[in-house]
Amino acid sequence: MIRCVFHIDLDAFFVSVEQLLAPELCGKPVVVGGRPDRRGVVASASYEARAFGIRAGMPLAQAYRLCPQAVFIEGSFPRYRDASDKFMTILADFSPYLEPVGLDEAYLDVTGCGFYGLPRQLAVKIKERVRKELGLVASVGIASCKVVAKIASDLGKPDGLVEVALGEEKDFLAPLPIARLPGVGKKTEVVLKAMGITTIGQLAALSPELVRSHFGAAGLAMHRYANAIDERKVEPPGEAKSISRETTLSQDTLDRGFLQAVVRYFCERIGAELRSQGRQARCVGLKLRYADFETVTRRLSLKEATDTDEIIFNAAFKLLERALAGNRKPVRLIGVGVSNLVCFGKQLHLLDLMPQRLEYLNKAVDRIRKKYGFTSIQTGRTLCLGEIFASRDGDCILEIPSLSR
Ligand code: TTP
Ligand code: MG
């Protein structure tokens, strides 16, 4: 059977969610990422803001220079996650072969879903439901493989619906600039341009040996994509292999108390997530990025798998102390993660009552947080984050896992 793959991506996702809450922002240049006098980058820009040259990943100050009249919004991750969940639920109604990629984008394999009509009609239905039920606009690309579907959905934005007929994939890709091809980053683009290659068609025409000699094995995949050869399946996600939280701080800091508080906060978030999934972790990791962008990661294996905040924190605390020992460089980004996850296996603490007590404590705190919100109860060590807690509508900016992808 001929494969039919959809790539579906919401237009200006974060901005569009904000516009639902404040319709007066529709049709205006809007930037989500933060206030322009704060550091940070543009996460999402409305198409009106893009007309001024503003792009995702650009420093906010630069975006402000390009368009001072734009509305700058900090944004709220929980709102985006909520919209994303609803978006994926709609898509799952159309095929079980759904592969979410980030919050606002997914592949859907609709091979054999002929009862909905032609693929184009199916795509129209998806777009209609997303618009009617969520108030958001989705762009869809339809093709016989993932890479072509992805490029097609991108090309039609905003409010796109681009279908690439079977057998026309190579002709469709050929005139497009190489930067459109997934896997062609800035560095690869520079090298290809130096070789005189500016379009996907020119890249496709190179011999695989030549591409390999310049770009190694990764280059061969890129070359196959350029030739519209992509056998990757649409794969529904398995269980996550790790859980992590990280944030770029609003200011570089050497304040140990503050860093410990952030680590503690992340450990509580991670512990709660583990418990809600009925899983435990055997390994705790810490990530620090210093002001000069040097990044260090450290890991510690635990004697026993755990889902207890205190045990996760003790390990992360040790890693933090080791990383900061003798360090003079301020910290820019901090993150905690757990890995080597196992399904919950009950431990009998016959001789040692402490872990059992902590378990009860965690469960009691979980219940309170479930009822009144995560920030309704704070442990002593995170008290200095109070202002950050209070400045959010019930949630905390630190919860944003990462705005860079
Ligand atoms: P994208 O789909 O790349 O961007 P977009 O939805 O804002 O715009 P469009 O699809 O119409 O081109 O990313 C989806 C969301 O992910 C985006 O709204 C914000 C977030 N994001 C970041 O946080 N950092 C980034 O660098 C990028 C590219 C996106
Ligand atoms: Mg998008």
Side-chain angles (χ1 to χ4, degrees):
M1 199 178 295
I2 296 151
R3 281 214 303 160
C4 183
V5 176
F6 283 12
H7 180 262
I8 308 135
D9 188 301
L10 298 173
D11 293 348
F13 178 46
F14 286 8
V15 165
S16 304
V17 173
E18 297 300 331
Q19 285 170 331
L20 287 174
L21 286 169
E24 69 277 10
L25 296 180
C26 292
K28 292 194 177 148
V30 180
V31 169
V32 171
R35 292 210 324 255
D37 57 339
R38 304 264 283 278
R39 65 185 192 165
V41 294
V42 174
S44 179
S46 67
Y47 280 76
E48 291 79 6
R50 291 180 209 193
F52 290 86
I54 297 178
R55 295 285 178 272
M58 176 182 277
L60 290 165
Q62 189 184 349
Y64 180 75
R65 282 196 297 277
L66 288 170
C67 182
Q69 70 273 33
V71 181
F72 288 81
I73 303 173
E74 219 157 78
S76 160
F77 197 75
R79 276 206 287 274
Y80 310 142
R81 199 175 38 204
D82 186 49
S84 170
D85 288 347
K86 290 180 178 143
F87 170 56
M88 297 300 171
T89 305
I90 292 179
L91 299 185
D93 277 349
F94 290 87
S95 164
Y97 299 101
L98 169 68
E99 182 182 330
V101 187
L103 288 178
D104 82 327
E105 126 184 39
Y107 291 100
L108 196 66
D109 192 322
V110 295
T111 309
C113 294
F115 46 89
Y116 282 110
L118 295 169
R120 179 172 272 277
Q121 292 166 333
L122 177 56
V124 169
K125 278 205 181 91
I126 291 176
K127 282 167 69 80
E128 274 170 8
R129 276 195 62 186
V130 171
R131 197 186 294 265
K132 223 167 109 193
E133 293 171 34
L134 305 181
L136 298 172
V137 181
S139 289
V140 183
I142 309 174
S144 59
C145 65
K146 278 174 145 181
V147 71
V148 179
K150 161 115 181 123
I151 294 173
S153 80
D154 246 18
L155 208 64
K157 274 178 173 291
D159 200 6
L161 202 185
V162 175
E163 185 176 5
V164 183
L166 188 69
E168 287 175 16
E169 295 88 345
K170 268 188 81 168
D171 291 344
F172 165 76
L173 296 182
L176 301 176
I178 40 173
R180 289 250 173 215
L181 197 66
V184 176
K186 286 263 173 297
K187 278 188 201 156
T188 309
E189 194 183 350
V190 169
V191 178
L192 283 171
K193 284 196 170 153
M195 294 162 70
I197 307 296
T198 56
T199 66
I200 297 180
Q202 289 171 322
L203 171 59
L206 294 178
S207 76
E209 292 74 30
L210 183 71
V211 176
R212 192 200 186 96
S213 68
H214 278 87
F215 305 102
L220 283 182
M222 171 178 85
H223 187 250
R224 277 198 298 274
Y225 290 168
N227 281 285
I229 302 168
D230 178 10
E231 273 131 26
R232 287 174 303 158
K233 289 202 185 96
V234 174
E235 287 195 270
E239 284 201 326
K241 293 192 176 67
S242 62
I243 299 173
S244 61
R245 288 276 189 276
E246 69 176 50
T247 192
T248 300
L249 303 169
S250 59
Q251 275 181 14
D252 297 343
T253 185
L254 270 168
D255 181 339
R256 266 185 199 219
F258 178 77
L259 293 172
Q260 289 166 0
V262 176
V263 167
R264 172 76 207 191
Y265 171 75
F266 284 157
C267 291
E268 289 177 23
R269 279 278 180 188
I270 290 168
E273 182 74 36
L274 281 170
R275 291 188 293 279
S276 77
Q277 294 182 12
R279 299 164 90 192
Q280 296 185 323
R282 286 189 200 279
C283 190
V284 177
L286 177 87
K287 175 174 167 185
L288 288 183
R289 180 167 298 144
Y290 299 109
D292 61 1
F293 282 83
E294 187 203 347
T295 306
V296 293
T297 52
R298 302 259 185 279
R299 280 154 59 100
L300 194 71
S301 291
L302 303 172
K303 279 199 211 102
E304 280 174 11
T306 190
D307 60 4
T308 304
D309 296 353
E310 199 68 29
I311 298 174
I312 300 169
F313 175 69
N314 284 346
F317 181 82
K318 262 188 215 153
L319 294 172
L320 180 69
E321 289 301 290
R322 274 186 220 157
L324 293 181
N327 169 63
R328 291 274 161 272
K329 289 191 284 191
V331 174
R332 174 188 171 85
L333 172 148
I334 185 160
V336 179
V338 293
S339 55
N340 273 7
L341 304 187
V342 292
C343 281
F344 184 73
K346 192 100 188 70
Q347 297 287 329
L348 282 178
H349 304 293
L350 293 178
L351 299 174
D352 187 358
L353 282 176
M354 194 57 182
Q356 221 168 48
R357 287 201 183 136
L358 289 173
E359 208 180 298
Y360 292 147
L361 176 68
N362 282 172
K363 282 196 177 133
V365 171
D366 284 346
R367 278 201 296 276
I368 295 169
R369 284 178 164 162
K370 202 163 170 211
K371 196 156 176 198
Y372 299 106
F374 196 89
T375 55
S376 61
I377 185 160
Q378 268 183 268
T379 43
R381 216 182 265 274
T382 65
L383 274 182
C384 68
L385 301 178
E387 257 181 49
I388 301 172
F389 275 101
S391 69
R392 294 263 129 189
D393 44 350
D395 227 309
C396 169
I397 192 163
L398 293 171
E399 202 210 344
I400 296 179
S402 170
L403 283 180
S404 57
R405 297 190 310 178

